[in-house]
Every structure is written in C-alpha cells, then in structure tokens.
Amino acid sequence: MTEAHLTPSQEKIVTSDAEAILVLASAGSGKTHVLTERIRFLLEREKKSHVLVLTFTNKAADEIEIRLTDTIKDIHSRAFIGTIHRFCLEMIRRRGHLIGYADMPQVFERDTDRKELIVQAILESDSLCRQFQQKNQSGQDQFIQNVLFRIGMYKKNLRGLYGENENNYLFFLLQEYNSLLVSQNAIDYDDVIVLAHKILTDCPQIAELYRKQYRYILIDEAQDLNFAQYELIKALCGTEHKKVMMVGDPNQAIYGFNGADKKYMAESFINDFTPVSKLSLNENFRSTTAILKAANCLIDNGTKVQINSSLDGLFEIKEFLDQKSEAEWIVEQIKYYMTHGHRDIIGKITEDRIAVLSRTKYIFPPLEEVLQKNGISYFVKKTSDSSEFESDFIQTFDLGLRLLVNPRDQLHFIQLLNHLNLTEDSITVSKNTFPDKLQVLSELIKNEPTKTDFEQLKNSWLCIDNNINDFKNALKMLQQFLENKPEENRDLTVIEDIQEYDALWEGYCKKVSKETRSLSHFRSQIALGIVHNNQSTSGITLGTVHSVKGLGFDIVFLMGMNEGTFPDYRSLNNSNYLAEERNNAYVALTRAKRLLFITYPKQKQMSWGDNKVQYPSRFIELIQKSMN
C-alpha cells in the first residue's frame, strides 16, 4: 500500500480521467475503499461538482458516507449517497405530481399486503374466481405466490407501463392489481423504480436537471442491476452524460432469480456508453491463502483472485452422519476457538467474529437447538433491512400510522378493524379523515376488553398527527402506559417493538432536518429499509448467503452443503440458475477471513419423519478435484 493507502491498481481507478469506467472488483479487493476515495478525489478536485452514488444496500451507503463525513464537511450537500430505491423515492416525493400523484403515495412493502390485493384482483374476474376457489389451500397459496412473482417481473422489465396490452390472465391481474394500488394512493416496492423511470422519460426537463446537478455518477454492485434499474440510469444520463463508473463482480452475481443480470454491467454498459475504460481489482486483502485457493476453484471465467495474504489460515471439509452430529461438531469448534484462539487471528475470538452460513434458513434449527443447550448466544440475520413488529399492540400502532399517512388506504384500514375485533360492516366512514374514523372506532370499541389499549393508541396517533416531532414523546406515552400495567399483563415483545420504533425514529432524525420531517416520508423510508434499526445484535451470526453479502468474519462454517440444498434442487436442470448457485458458493466462501469449514450430513430427517440419504454438493467435489 502507498502512503494514501491505495495500491497502484486502486490509485489508477481513483484518479482516472476516463469518462465511462467499468471496474471489475473481486471479493475482498477494497471496492468500498476505492469508491470512497474516488468520491473524495472528485469532490476535492472539482470544488463545485456534485456526485451521485447509488448502492444496493443501506450498509454500503452508510459505510461510504461515514468514511467521508470527517474530511468533507459539506458531503450531504455535494453528494447523494444511498440505495437506488432511496434516490427514486426522493424523486417521486418531489416530482410525483408530474405523473399524476398529487400526494406522495404510500409504499405497500409487505408480501402479505400485496397478496391480499392479488386476491381482490382475482375476485374481479368471475372465471378466475371460480378456478381459484376450486383449488385447495396449498394450490391457492402457490397460485398467489406465482402471480406475485410474475407481476414483479412485469414491473422489473417495465412492461404494462405505457398502455401495452396482452390477452392473458396475468396481464389482467397486473392491471387490476395496479388499479387497486392507485385507488388507495399506494405503490409497491417495484413501482419505486418504475415511477422514477416514468418521471425521467415523460419529463425530459427533469432528467436534464439531474444531469446538471450530478456531474459524476457511481454505481456500486453493478452486477445486480435489473432491466428497469439499468434503463433508469440510461434515462438519467441521456445521450450526453458519460461520466459514469460502474463497479461490480460477475462472480458475485446472485440475484438472477429477482431479474438481475450481470450483462447490463458487462455488455449493455459497454455498448451504450462507448468508449468505456475497463479496469480491474483482483487482489484479495480479506482472506487467507487456504480460503482463497478453495474459492478460486469455483471461478470458471478466468478471473482468478490474486492471493495477497501472508497467512495460511485453514480450510477443511467435514462429513457427518446426520444433521445433529454436524451441529454438535460446529458448536464444539466454536467453543474451542473461543477458548483457545488461533495463531492467525489477533485477539480474543468472540461470538461476533464467527458466522454459520447456509443456502437457506431451514438448515439452522438443529444447530440452534445445540447452541441453546450450550448457552451460546446467536441471531439469525435478516436478508433485508425492513422492520417487522411481533406484538399485536405495536402492529396496531403501525396500522394507525399508515392510515394517518394515507386515509385512502382501505387495505390497512380493514386490517386495523380485524386487530380491533370489528367487522368491515360495522363502520361506514372509510372515506373520511383518520381522526373522524378514530372517533367512530372509539364508540364501537367502548365495550371491548381492549378499549383501554385502543384509547392509549388513539392518544399517541393524535399526538403524532398534531406534530410529527412529538413522535418520540408518543412512544414514551405508550411505554409508560405498558409499564404501569400489572406485571403479569406486561408483554416484553411490546417493549422491544417500541424500542425498535424508537431506533427507527432516531435513525430518521439523523438523516432528515427537523423542518422537513413528515410521517409520510418516515413511513416510506421504513418501508424501503432506508431507515432501520442500527442497534447491534450480539452472538454468532446465522445467515443465508444473500443476508451476509458484503460482510466478513474471522471464522465461517458453511453447513448443509449437500446436493439439492446447495446448489438448490431447483437449479439442477437449469444451467443459468446453476451458474448463479456457483456464484452463491463463491460468495459464501469469501465471507471467511481466516478459517473456513464446509460441512454436510450423509443423511437428513425429512418433515414426514423418514431419513433420506444425502450426497455432497457438486461444489465440494469441484473444490476437492481442483485442489488435488
């Protein structure tokens, strides 16, 4: 490293004078460091320039922003650093009126909500309704899930946006589903990109304003772009804006199931932004020699990672009789290293330095049981930053907030009625303001056992409605109310959910000035995970590959590495999906910094009670064959 803490290849990227730049950055190559220093270089070289930095995770955006804040005091006024969804959400909030949204639409982010809308759309067609009702519960669930997925893919491919028409039931359901959203002044997660794209294409003067505002555009994790996201970037740039840097790694492309395709970075970008300067970062500074030798066995496109470690580390593959013995061995190893340490790991090995990974979360229960028996703390890492509340009390509070934001929200109004044990027929003021509804609800619930709880919730809603900056006081009111209940009537999950909401509000206040805060903006940012609970979780990390992408741990156990599990059985007859599973395995291996163990059982107990013979993953066989 140089005095500026940049290798020659990193410095070449940071200081490049090329306009369009494609950076192929392998795992552990210092990608975030290079992005951060590139932003710093551009802002210091051109004092009046502004930079747009689009990431795929809030964690990446936060990390870049924190690194820059100390040295560039006006970073928030000179750079937008955030997820592509956050950027688009802000565009809709400011410019949505140009495409017919007088008020900021509410984001329906939960799959459960979207499924309810799909059922309502099905009921609009007599023939579809009859076919649907003839299915058993499992068949109905599968049908709804399939429709939900297909509608998402329609939107990710910008189909159905400009009046196209297709003569099939899926397109009919897409139109009905969208109509239900519009009638409630709502949008879903995919619409955030779709509507921002519509603003830029329908209103070219707005795209021109953004081009003038942001002289440079940087895209992180560009291998994860889908069609709509790439077209958004093209609409943003037009034909003249070429100062775009895309950074990504084809070997870490693992979101094809969600419409992402590395071709937008590796092919479309090169064709559309010619000439493109191609630069590489292929030195790994994260992992030890043994780990990288194994990871390189999974790369088949010639871009092997350069090993840059003086430490040997440890890589082992272990076979076990069953899932129980596999879990017990992992826990014994965890206990051993936490007690004795390892020569390649500096300092005490604590639980937060260890992760157990798997292809799916369904692998973890036997391990969780053994961890609990041994008193070892752990947590299952969520794939997204979206917040979910466990207690009925705070779920009801959250529904009320949604209705404060959007009184037209019939979906969540009906859910609120259900939470209050009221029927839809019992209230006829659905089109009135939310305070009007509250008054009627108070009368209807006066004889219900939950009346006292409802009155307290109502007071908190009215407090927030009166002044958004009293949000924290409203939460304190709820907490004091609960703490004054007899101990046997207290629910700890409610207190935890209040603390979760308090953390979300704190995070929002750090990002948004007091004068510009609004409940609508706050709820939208929660829906997209833009504000999320940063309270640290403690213990061993149990995570799927997708949930830990971008993270690193000193010790990693990759468990349940059986054929049909990793790679997933659905990929075995599809070469594209199988290639993505190989990328998943590569990402899993490169999360390990010092020690890596791959484990698998020879038999697995199925849900119906029988034991089924298991075989090692083809990726294990590939690694063993390549390393021998």
Side-chain angles (χ1 to χ4, degrees):
M1 291 279 194
T2 67
E3 287 185 3
H5 304 295
L6 292 168
T7 65
S9 57
Q10 290 175 337
E11 188 169 12
K12 183 178 180 181
I13 294 166
V14 167
T15 60
S16 175
D17 287 328
E19 291 197 327
I21 304 171
L22 173 61
V23 179
L24 300 176
S26 61
S29 62
K31 169 179 66 68
T32 302
H33 180 51
V34 168
L35 272 170
T36 303
E37 294 308 310
R38 174 68 174 173
I39 299 164
R40 193 193 314 277
F41 173 79
L42 294 173
L43 294 180
E44 290 179 349
R45 185 180 68 176
E46 301 181 30
K47 299 299 183 182
K48 294 185 179 181
S49 289
H50 292 71
V51 177
L52 174 62
V53 185
L54 300 179
T55 68
F56 273 83
T57 65
N58 293 294
K59 177 185 176 296
D62 292 345
E63 190 174 340
I64 293 170
E65 193 169 294
I66 289 168
R67 292 186 190 187
L68 290 168
T69 301
D70 291 341
T71 54
I72 302 179
K73 300 303 180 185
D74 57 345
I75 185 64
H76 292 105
S77 63
R78 296 193 60 200
F80 178 98
I81 304 170
T83 64
I84 193 166
H85 278 84
R86 179 186 163 199
F87 174 71
C88 291
L89 185 73
E90 291 301 309
M91 189 188 303
I92 296 167
R93 188 167 74 98
R94 294 169 184 269
R95 325 272 186 187
H97 63 279
L98 297 172
I99 55 170
Y101 286 88
D103 301 313
M104 175 65 200
Q106 183 180 358
V107 181
F108 284 5
E109 79 280 16
R110 299 186 306 206
D111 276 357
T112 52
D113 292 344
R114 298 171 62 207
K115 287 176 181 178
E116 284 191 40
L117 292 181
I118 289 169
V119 172
Q120 291 180 39
I122 291 170
L123 297 178
E124 293 297 318
S125 165
D126 290 339
S127 60
L128 277 177
C129 184
R130 283 194 301 272
Q131 293 176 38
F132 182 72
Q133 291 174 342
Q134 288 170 2
K135 299 178 183 292
N136 59 25
Q137 186 61 55
S138 175
Q140 290 182 356
D141 292 343
Q142 187 174 356
F143 181 79
I144 292 169
Q145 187 62 46
N146 180 56
V147 171
L148 186 69
F149 172 78
R150 295 289 294 276
I151 285 176
M153 295 308 291
Y154 266 126
K155 295 188 177 188
K156 289 179 179 71
N157 287 288
L158 299 178
R159 293 171 65 188
L161 180 61
Y162 298 111
E164 306 100 317
N165 198 0
E166 297 179 23
N167 187 22
N168 62 58
Y169 78 90
L170 277 168
F171 202 76
F172 167 80
L173 289 176
L174 168 66
Q175 292 174 316
E176 289 297 323
Y177 171 83
N178 282 342
S179 295
L180 286 166
L181 285 171
V182 170
S183 70
Q184 300 181 63
N185 192 37
I187 58 177
D188 66 18
Y189 188 80
D190 292 314
D191 284 329
V192 175
I193 305 294
V194 171
L195 296 183
H197 179 269
K198 186 172 177 61
I199 290 171
L200 294 174
T201 52
D202 285 8
C203 312
Q205 72 277 15
I206 300 301
E208 182 61 29
L209 283 175
Y210 281 108
R211 285 194 280 273
K212 289 179 179 178
Q213 181 177 1
Y214 297 112
R215 184 170 170 80
Y216 296 95
I217 300 174
L218 291 82
I219 314 294
D220 187 23
E221 302 287 5
Q223 78 278 352
D224 293 331
L225 289 168
N226 62 34
F227 178 77
Q229 291 162 345
Y230 181 71
E231 289 297 312
L232 176 95
I233 293 165
K234 281 176 60 181
L236 191 63
C237 293
T239 56
E240 65 272 18
H241 196 313
K242 298 287 187 180
K243 294 184 177 180
V244 179
M245 174 186 281
M246 287 201 177
V247 183
D249 180 6
N251 295 314
Q252 295 188 70
I254 62 173
Y255 289 97
F257 67 90
N258 208 22
D261 197 321
K262 61 189 176 185
K263 72 180 183 182
Y264 299 117
M265 170 191 78
E267 299 172 17
S268 302
F269 178 60
I270 292 173
N271 293 332
D272 295 331
F273 287 80
T274 302
V276 174
S277 176
K278 290 179 66 175
L279 301 170
S280 297
L281 290 172
N282 59 1
E283 293 178 276
N284 185 294
F285 300 101
R286 177 194 295 151
S287 305
T288 52
T289 299
I291 294 167
L292 291 178
K293 284 182 177 178
N296 271 338
C297 297
L298 297 174
I299 297 175
D300 64 350
N301 58 10
T303 58
K304 303 292 185 183
V305 176
Q306 290 184 15
I307 299 172
N308 195 49
S309 176
S310 59
L311 301 174
D312 292 331
L314 182 63
F315 169 68
E316 291 182 358
I317 298 172
K318 295 286 186 181
E319 177 186 81
F320 298 94
L321 174 63
D322 53 26
Q323 292 167 290
K324 181 181 178 183
S325 56
E326 178 188 28
E328 288 173 341
W329 183 86
I330 290 173
V331 172
E332 285 305 310
Q333 294 303 301
I334 288 172
K335 290 162 62 178
Y336 174 85
Y337 287 114
M338 287 176 61
T339 302
H340 300 286
H342 188 276
R343 66 178 182 276
D344 288 342
I345 301 176
I346 298 172
K348 180 175 176 56
I349 299 176
T350 52
E351 292 163 335
D352 63 301
R353 302 176 75 175
I354 304 171
V356 184
L357 309 183
S358 68
R359 180 62 182 84
T360 73
K361 64 182 179 180
Y362 303 110
I363 299 297
F364 291 136
L367 176 67
E368 292 184 68
E369 184 179 339
V370 181
L371 287 169
Q372 290 168 8
K373 284 181 180 177
N374 284 269
I376 297 174
S377 62
Y378 69 91
F379 69 97
V380 180
K381 184 167 178 55
K382 296 190 298 183
T383 303
S384 70
D385 290 326
S386 60
S387 294
E388 297 177 4
F389 306 104
E390 294 186 20
S391 65
D392 186 76
F393 186 79
I394 297 303
Q395 287 176 11
T396 308
F397 172 73
D398 184 63
L399 289 170
L401 294 185
R402 290 172 184 265
L403 291 163
L404 268 178
V405 167
N406 179 19
R408 290 167 56 189
D409 180 357
Q410 191 68 9
L411 178 72
H412 293 113
F413 178 58
I414 293 170
Q415 290 178 10
L416 178 62
L417 293 178
N418 291 333
H419 272 252
L420 299 175
N421 295 316
L422 300 172
T423 64
E424 191 177 350
D425 296 335
S426 64
I427 187 164
T428 58
V429 292
S430 59
K431 292 184 179 179
N432 292 354
T433 66
F434 187 55
D436 290 335
K437 291 179 180 178
L438 285 182
Q439 199 60 43
V440 175
L441 288 173
S442 294
E443 290 297 317
L444 291 170
I445 206 171
K446 61 184 177 182
N447 296 320
E448 295 289 332
T450 55
K451 180 183 187 316
T452 308
D453 286 1
F454 174 77
E455 288 299 322
Q456 192 59 51
L457 287 167
K458 185 178 85 168
N459 291 338
S460 69
W461 291 325
L462 293 175
C463 174
I464 293 167
D465 190 35
N466 184 56
N467 185 351
I468 181 60
N469 288 301
D470 279 337
F471 195 94
K472 198 173 186 71
N473 291 332
L475 293 177
K476 285 181 180 177
M477 288 165 49
L478 294 178
Q479 184 150 346
Q480 288 171 359
F481 165 71
L482 294 165
E483 289 173 348
N484 288 333
K485 282 188 171 187
E487 190 168 342
E488 62 271 16
N489 292 336
R490 293 179 196 165
D491 185 348
L492 289 177
T493 60
V494 180
I495 303 295
E496 290 171 358
D497 281 348
I498 290 174
Q499 292 171 346
E500 168 84 1
Y501 238 125
D502 187 62
L504 293 170
W505 177 251
E506 288 287 335
Y508 178 69
C509 291
K510 289 177 183 177
K511 292 177 179 289
V512 181
S513 65
K514 187 174 182 178
E515 299 74 24
T516 58
R517 293 171 197 158
S518 73
L519 185 58
S520 172
H521 193 219
F522 177 44
R523 271 294 324 155
S524 294
Q525 296 222 338
I526 292 175
L528 297 182
I530 296 166
V531 291
H532 49 95
N533 189 350
N534 283 320
Q535 290 178 334
S536 59
T537 45
S538 59
I540 307 290
T541 299
L542 308 188
T544 64
V545 181
H546 291 88
S547 73
V548 298
K549 191 168 183 291
L551 303 180
F553 304 89
D554 289 302
I555 303 176
V556 168
F557 299 87
L558 177 55
M559 71 180 298
M561 198 70 169
N562 295 104
E563 188 75 0
T565 299
F566 203 164
D568 182 272
Y569 69 94
R570 291 166 294 188
S571 71
L572 299 182
N573 296 316
N574 187 306
S575 60
N576 290 331
Y577 290 162
L578 192 57
E580 185 161 306
E581 285 293 276
R582 188 164 171 160
N583 288 348
N584 270 308
Y586 172 77
V587 169
L589 267 62
T590 53
R591 298 314 94 199
K593 296 180 182 179
R594 298 291 179 263
L595 314 181
L596 172 63
F597 303 93
I598 294 179
T599 66
Y600 66 94
K602 292 195 291 183
Q603 62 182 29
K604 184 185 295 184
Q605 188 173 44
M606 310 310 289
S607 57
W608 53 87
D610 293 342
N611 287 324
K612 185 177 180 181
V613 174
Q614 300 289 297
Y615 300 97
S617 164
R618 66 184 65 196
F619 300 139
I620 288 179
E621 296 178 347
L622 178 60
I623 292 170
Q624 290 174 327
K625 181 179 179 181
S626 301
M627 293 183 74
N628 290 336

